[in-house]
Amino acid sequence: MTSTEFRIGGELGVRRLGFGAMQLPTEPGPARETSLAVARRAVDLGVTLIDTAHLYGGGANEELLAEALYPYANGLLITTKVGVARTGPAGEWRLDGRPAILRDQVDQALRRLRVERIELLQLHRIDPETPLSDQLGTLRDLQTEGKLGRIGLSEVTVAELDRAREIIDVASVQNRYNILDREHEPVLAACEAAGIAFLPWRPVAAGASGAQTEIAAVAAELGATPTQVALAWLLGHSPVILPIPGTARMDHLEENLAATRLHLPQAHRDRLDRLPELA
């Protein structure tokens, strides 16, 4: 039976199917009100893991979640990411893992999320222009200072994960991964071997799952939607996978979360497992 829960870092318990907040509009108006309602509904439906980032509106997404959910329900984990900043030559977004930038973004996140400690903070990307030891050393220092509970990475290779683990305890990895895109299978395997949470972003291939014949056929046979099949496959593929599908629509949110109740018989799972061979 597929477990519905996972303990990040061996101690921080969450339900495995989470919610990605990136798509929530933050500008004032009706769309923002819907965003607030969607975030609240996600928690009402049992979500205990919500993913955001400084990059999402320069912190506006973090502020939205705080407005919607603070004071936070017991056991709710909001994880955010740092390491992308408007420090390009023309003020554009670029990777920036300099210690001063990381410290400032963590302090901003603490203020915006209205917390004294971020229980899981992820490095959005490794900045190739800043020594990895400086980037992770800064986050480790912030952890020692009590501002961070656990540290994760995003979009890394196995080699980068190995190097990072020489500097810090890695609690999570967030890489692009879904039923049709398994490029990072080796990273997933490394995470599973080490008990590291693996948070796939783009977990349903941005709608491509519905256009794939075999996924659509399995969905029809099980009385489910292709999106639900794609999410159920992820949950059964590895016990360390914590999908974070995102949406700004209430109906899509409820469709996504219903995937936890979908059982994929082994025969159907075998068909889905073979999809990369058929591509």
Side-chain angles (χ1 to χ4, degrees), residues 130-153:
T130 302
L132 183 62
S133 58
D134 288 353
Q135 297 175 70
L136 298 184
T138 298
L139 298 184
R140 183 187 57 207
D141 290 345
L142 288 164
Q143 186 179 38
T144 300
E145 293 165 20
K147 293 183 177 182
L148 306 179
R150 294 148 199 86
I151 302 169
L153 306 171

PDB file of all heavy atoms in Angstrom, residues 130-153:
ATOM      1  N   THR A 130      29.449  31.458  -7.992  1.00  0.00           N
ATOM      2  CA  THR A 130      29.767  31.567  -6.567  1.00  0.00           C
ATOM      3  C   THR A 130      30.170  30.189  -6.050  1.00  0.00           C
ATOM      4  O   THR A 130      29.480  29.206  -6.335  1.00  0.00           O
ATOM      5  CB  THR A 130      28.540  32.060  -5.767  1.00  0.00           C
ATOM      6  OG1 THR A 130      28.116  33.334  -6.286  1.00  0.00           O
ATOM      7  CG2 THR A 130      28.868  32.214  -4.294  1.00  0.00           C
ATOM      8  N   PRO A 131      31.282  30.075  -5.335  1.00  0.00           N
ATOM      9  CA  PRO A 131      31.690  28.763  -4.826  1.00  0.00           C
ATOM     10  C   PRO A 131      30.556  28.081  -4.062  1.00  0.00           C
ATOM     11  O   PRO A 131      29.863  28.717  -3.259  1.00  0.00           O
ATOM     12  CB  PRO A 131      32.867  29.101  -3.903  1.00  0.00           C
ATOM     13  CG  PRO A 131      33.420  30.375  -4.467  1.00  0.00           C
ATOM     14  CD  PRO A 131      32.230  31.141  -4.952  1.00  0.00           C
ATOM     15  N   LEU A 132      30.372  26.792  -4.334  1.00  0.00           N
ATOM     16  CA  LEU A 132      29.301  26.057  -3.669  1.00  0.00           C
ATOM     17  C   LEU A 132      29.463  26.107  -2.155  1.00  0.00           C
ATOM     18  O   LEU A 132      28.474  26.212  -1.421  1.00  0.00           O
ATOM     19  CB  LEU A 132      29.287  24.602  -4.149  1.00  0.00           C
ATOM     20  CG  LEU A 132      28.170  23.722  -3.586  1.00  0.00           C
ATOM     21  CD1 LEU A 132      26.805  24.248  -4.002  1.00  0.00           C
ATOM     22  CD2 LEU A 132      28.353  22.273  -4.041  1.00  0.00           C
ATOM     23  N   SER A 133      30.701  26.065  -1.691  1.00  0.00           N
ATOM     24  CA  SER A 133      30.937  26.115  -0.248  1.00  0.00           C
ATOM     25  C   SER A 133      30.455  27.428   0.358  1.00  0.00           C
ATOM     26  O   SER A 133      30.006  27.457   1.510  1.00  0.00           O
ATOM     27  CB  SER A 133      32.428  25.920   0.049  1.00  0.00           C
ATOM     28  OG  SER A 133      33.210  26.917  -0.600  1.00  0.00           O
ATOM     29  N   ASP A 134      30.514  28.518  -0.416  1.00  0.00           N
ATOM     30  CA  ASP A 134      30.017  29.799   0.070  1.00  0.00           C
ATOM     31  C   ASP A 134      28.490  29.799   0.136  1.00  0.00           C
ATOM     32  O   ASP A 134      27.893  30.313   1.101  1.00  0.00           O
ATOM     33  CB  ASP A 134      30.487  30.943  -0.835  1.00  0.00           C
ATOM     34  CG  ASP A 134      31.972  31.246  -0.683  1.00  0.00           C
ATOM     35  OD1 ASP A 134      32.606  30.660   0.210  1.00  0.00           O
ATOM     36  OD2 ASP A 134      32.490  32.065  -1.469  1.00  0.00           O
ATOM     37  N   GLN A 135      27.870  29.249  -0.894  1.00  0.00           N
ATOM     38  CA  GLN A 135      26.404  29.213  -0.925  1.00  0.00           C
ATOM     39  C   GLN A 135      25.847  28.348   0.199  1.00  0.00           C
ATOM     40  O   GLN A 135      25.021  28.790   1.007  1.00  0.00           O
ATOM     41  CB  GLN A 135      25.921  28.683  -2.282  1.00  0.00           C
ATOM     42  CG  GLN A 135      26.316  29.571  -3.453  1.00  0.00           C
ATOM     43  CD  GLN A 135      25.938  28.970  -4.789  1.00  0.00           C
ATOM     44  OE1 GLN A 135      24.763  28.875  -5.144  1.00  0.00           O
ATOM     45  NE2 GLN A 135      26.937  28.552  -5.568  1.00  0.00           N
ATOM     46  N   LEU A 136      26.316  27.115   0.260  1.00  0.00           N
ATOM     47  CA  LEU A 136      25.788  26.198   1.265  1.00  0.00           C
ATOM     48  C   LEU A 136      26.314  26.525   2.659  1.00  0.00           C
ATOM     49  O   LEU A 136      25.621  26.305   3.651  1.00  0.00           O
ATOM     50  CB  LEU A 136      26.121  24.763   0.878  1.00  0.00           C
ATOM     51  CG  LEU A 136      25.515  24.294  -0.454  1.00  0.00           C
ATOM     52  CD1 LEU A 136      25.821  22.826  -0.691  1.00  0.00           C
ATOM     53  CD2 LEU A 136      24.005  24.540  -0.492  1.00  0.00           C
ATOM     54  N   GLY A 137      27.521  27.067   2.721  1.00  0.00           N
ATOM     55  CA  GLY A 137      28.046  27.484   4.012  1.00  0.00           C
ATOM     56  C   GLY A 137      27.211  28.591   4.631  1.00  0.00           C
ATOM     57  O   GLY A 137      26.981  28.612   5.845  1.00  0.00           O
ATOM     58  N   THR A 138      26.721  29.501   3.790  1.00  0.00           N
ATOM     59  CA  THR A 138      25.853  30.579   4.284  1.00  0.00           C
ATOM     60  C   THR A 138      24.552  30.009   4.834  1.00  0.00           C
ATOM     61  O   THR A 138      24.093  30.405   5.915  1.00  0.00           O
ATOM     62  CB  THR A 138      25.550  31.581   3.157  1.00  0.00           C
ATOM     63  OG1 THR A 138      26.771  32.184   2.725  1.00  0.00           O
ATOM     64  CG2 THR A 138      24.587  32.658   3.627  1.00  0.00           C
ATOM     65  N   LEU A 139      23.949  29.071   4.086  1.00  0.00           N
ATOM     66  CA  LEU A 139      22.703  28.465   4.560  1.00  0.00           C
ATOM     67  C   LEU A 139      22.936  27.654   5.829  1.00  0.00           C
ATOM     68  O   LEU A 139      22.095  27.655   6.735  1.00  0.00           O
ATOM     69  CB  LEU A 139      22.100  27.591   3.457  1.00  0.00           C
ATOM     70  CG  LEU A 139      21.714  28.326   2.163  1.00  0.00           C
ATOM     71  CD1 LEU A 139      21.046  27.370   1.194  1.00  0.00           C
ATOM     72  CD2 LEU A 139      20.816  29.527   2.449  1.00  0.00           C
ATOM     73  N   ARG A 140      24.078  26.992   5.905  1.00  0.00           N
ATOM     74  CA  ARG A 140      24.411  26.238   7.119  1.00  0.00           C
ATOM     75  C   ARG A 140      24.560  27.188   8.315  1.00  0.00           C
ATOM     76  O   ARG A 140      24.094  26.892   9.418  1.00  0.00           O
ATOM     77  CB  ARG A 140      25.702  25.456   6.892  1.00  0.00           C
ATOM     78  CG  ARG A 140      26.125  24.551   8.067  1.00  0.00           C
ATOM     79  CD  ARG A 140      27.493  23.961   7.783  1.00  0.00           C
ATOM     80  NE  ARG A 140      28.476  25.017   7.541  1.00  0.00           N
ATOM     81  CZ  ARG A 140      29.565  24.865   6.794  1.00  0.00           C
ATOM     82  NH1 ARG A 140      29.832  23.707   6.203  1.00  0.00           N
ATOM     83  NH2 ARG A 140      30.409  25.877   6.625  1.00  0.00           N
ATOM     84  N   ASP A 141      25.180  28.351   8.075  1.00  0.00           N
ATOM     85  CA  ASP A 141      25.315  29.340   9.150  1.00  0.00           C
ATOM     86  C   ASP A 141      23.950  29.836   9.605  1.00  0.00           C
ATOM     87  O   ASP A 141      23.701  30.005  10.813  1.00  0.00           O
ATOM     88  CB  ASP A 141      26.166  30.518   8.681  1.00  0.00           C
ATOM     89  CG  ASP A 141      27.636  30.151   8.500  1.00  0.00           C
ATOM     90  OD1 ASP A 141      28.049  29.082   8.993  1.00  0.00           O
ATOM     91  OD2 ASP A 141      28.364  30.934   7.847  1.00  0.00           O
ATOM     92  N   LEU A 142      23.062  30.074   8.646  1.00  0.00           N
ATOM     93  CA  LEU A 142      21.712  30.526   8.986  1.00  0.00           C
ATOM     94  C   LEU A 142      20.960  29.449   9.763  1.00  0.00           C
ATOM     95  O   LEU A 142      20.150  29.750  10.653  1.00  0.00           O
ATOM     96  CB  LEU A 142      20.953  30.892   7.711  1.00  0.00           C
ATOM     97  CG  LEU A 142      21.416  32.188   7.022  1.00  0.00           C
ATOM     98  CD1 LEU A 142      20.886  32.253   5.602  1.00  0.00           C
ATOM     99  CD2 LEU A 142      20.965  33.404   7.825  1.00  0.00           C
ATOM    100  N   GLN A 143      21.237  28.213   9.445  1.00  0.00           N
ATOM    101  CA  GLN A 143      20.648  27.096  10.183  1.00  0.00           C
ATOM    102  C   GLN A 143      21.163  27.087  11.622  1.00  0.00           C
ATOM    103  O   GLN A 143      20.390  26.941  12.568  1.00  0.00           O
ATOM    104  CB  GLN A 143      20.994  25.784   9.476  1.00  0.00           C
ATOM    105  CG  GLN A 143      20.328  24.547  10.042  1.00  0.00           C
ATOM    106  CD  GLN A 143      20.727  23.304   9.254  1.00  0.00           C
ATOM    107  OE1 GLN A 143      21.873  23.157   8.821  1.00  0.00           O
ATOM    108  NE2 GLN A 143      19.784  22.403   9.056  1.00  0.00           N
ATOM    109  N   THR A 144      22.455  27.296  11.782  1.00  0.00           N
ATOM    110  CA  THR A 144      23.059  27.346  13.109  1.00  0.00           C
ATOM    111  C   THR A 144      22.492  28.502  13.931  1.00  0.00           C
ATOM    112  O   THR A 144      22.292  28.384  15.146  1.00  0.00           O
ATOM    113  CB  THR A 144      24.591  27.490  13.002  1.00  0.00           C
ATOM    114  OG1 THR A 144      25.120  26.371  12.289  1.00  0.00           O
ATOM    115  CG2 THR A 144      25.232  27.561  14.380  1.00  0.00           C
ATOM    116  N   GLU A 145      22.194  29.607  13.241  1.00  0.00           N
ATOM    117  CA  GLU A 145      21.634  30.789  13.916  1.00  0.00           C
ATOM    118  C   GLU A 145      20.169  30.609  14.284  1.00  0.00           C
ATOM    119  O   GLU A 145      19.579  31.453  14.958  1.00  0.00           O
ATOM    120  CB  GLU A 145      21.791  32.012  13.006  1.00  0.00           C
ATOM    121  CG  GLU A 145      23.240  32.433  12.792  1.00  0.00           C
ATOM    122  CD  GLU A 145      23.405  33.393  11.629  1.00  0.00           C
ATOM    123  OE1 GLU A 145      22.397  34.027  11.232  1.00  0.00           O
ATOM    124  OE2 GLU A 145      24.537  33.523  11.110  1.00  0.00           O
ATOM    125  N   GLY A 146      19.561  29.524  13.825  1.00  0.00           N
ATOM    126  CA  GLY A 146      18.165  29.247  14.165  1.00  0.00           C
ATOM    127  C   GLY A 146      17.152  29.791  13.191  1.00  0.00           C
ATOM    128  O   GLY A 146      15.941  29.672  13.420  1.00  0.00           O
ATOM    129  N   LYS A 147      17.617  30.375  12.078  1.00  0.00           N
ATOM    130  CA  LYS A 147      16.679  30.930  11.102  1.00  0.00           C
ATOM    131  C   LYS A 147      16.138  29.869  10.142  1.00  0.00           C
ATOM    132  O   LYS A 147      15.085  30.062   9.540  1.00  0.00           O
ATOM    133  CB  LYS A 147      17.349  32.051  10.313  1.00  0.00           C
ATOM    134  CG  LYS A 147      17.676  33.281  11.160  1.00  0.00           C
ATOM    135  CD  LYS A 147      18.266  34.403  10.325  1.00  0.00           C
ATOM    136  CE  LYS A 147      18.509  35.648  11.175  1.00  0.00           C
ATOM    137  NZ  LYS A 147      19.041  36.773  10.363  1.00  0.00           N
ATOM    138  N   LEU A 148      16.875  28.772   9.990  1.00  0.00           N
ATOM    139  CA  LEU A 148      16.468  27.685   9.108  1.00  0.00           C
ATOM    140  C   LEU A 148      16.448  26.378   9.887  1.00  0.00           C
ATOM    141  O   LEU A 148      17.302  26.145  10.751  1.00  0.00           O
ATOM    142  CB  LEU A 148      17.433  27.542   7.924  1.00  0.00           C
ATOM    143  CG  LEU A 148      17.711  28.779   7.075  1.00  0.00           C
ATOM    144  CD1 LEU A 148      18.701  28.427   5.964  1.00  0.00           C
ATOM    145  CD2 LEU A 148      16.427  29.340   6.494  1.00  0.00           C
ATOM    146  N   GLY A 149      15.474  25.524   9.532  1.00  0.00           N
ATOM    147  CA  GLY A 149      15.424  24.214  10.150  1.00  0.00           C
ATOM    148  C   GLY A 149      16.180  23.174   9.344  1.00  0.00           C
ATOM    149  O   GLY A 149      17.055  22.476   9.852  1.00  0.00           O
ATOM    150  N   ARG A 150      15.849  23.102   8.043  1.00  0.00           N
ATOM    151  CA  ARG A 150      16.456  22.124   7.147  1.00  0.00           C
ATOM    152  C   ARG A 150      16.753  22.799   5.815  1.00  0.00           C
ATOM    153  O   ARG A 150      16.117  23.790   5.459  1.00  0.00           O
ATOM    154  CB  ARG A 150      15.523  20.934   6.938  1.00  0.00           C
ATOM    155  CG  ARG A 150      15.295  20.119   8.201  1.00  0.00           C
ATOM    156  CD  ARG A 150      13.913  19.488   8.255  1.00  0.00           C
ATOM    157  NE  ARG A 150      13.568  19.114   9.619  1.00  0.00           N
ATOM    158  CZ  ARG A 150      13.016  19.931  10.508  1.00  0.00           C
ATOM    159  NH1 ARG A 150      12.744  21.192  10.180  1.00  0.00           N
ATOM    160  NH2 ARG A 150      12.745  19.515  11.727  1.00  0.00           N
ATOM    161  N   ILE A 151      17.699  22.225   5.069  1.00  0.00           N
ATOM    162  CA  ILE A 151      18.144  22.820   3.812  1.00  0.00           C
ATOM    163  C   ILE A 151      17.941  21.832   2.678  1.00  0.00           C
ATOM    164  O   ILE A 151      18.254  20.646   2.797  1.00  0.00           O
ATOM    165  CB  ILE A 151      19.631  23.215   3.899  1.00  0.00           C
ATOM    166  CG1 ILE A 151      19.854  24.206   5.047  1.00  0.00           C
ATOM    167  CG2 ILE A 151      20.109  23.819   2.576  1.00  0.00           C
ATOM    168  CD1 ILE A 151      21.320  24.440   5.377  1.00  0.00           C
ATOM    169  N   GLY A 152      17.421  22.338   1.552  1.00  0.00           N
ATOM    170  CA  GLY A 152      17.234  21.522   0.363  1.00  0.00           C
ATOM    171  C   GLY A 152      17.874  22.171  -0.850  1.00  0.00           C
ATOM    172  O   GLY A 152      18.353  23.308  -0.793  1.00  0.00           O
ATOM    173  N   LEU A 153      17.860  21.452  -1.961  1.00  0.00           N
ATOM    174  CA  LEU A 153      18.439  21.913  -3.218  1.00  0.00           C
ATOM    175  C   LEU A 153      17.391  21.804  -4.312  1.00  0.00           C
ATOM    176  O   LEU A 153      16.383  21.122  -4.156  1.00  0.00           O
ATOM    177  CB  LEU A 153      19.657  21.062  -3.592  1.00  0.00           C
ATOM    178  CG  LEU A 153      20.765  20.934  -2.553  1.00  0.00           C
ATOM    179  CD1 LEU A 153      21.769  19.879  -2.995  1.00  0.00           C
ATOM    180  CD2 LEU A 153      21.447  22.276  -2.341  1.00  0.00           C
TER     181      LEU A 153
END
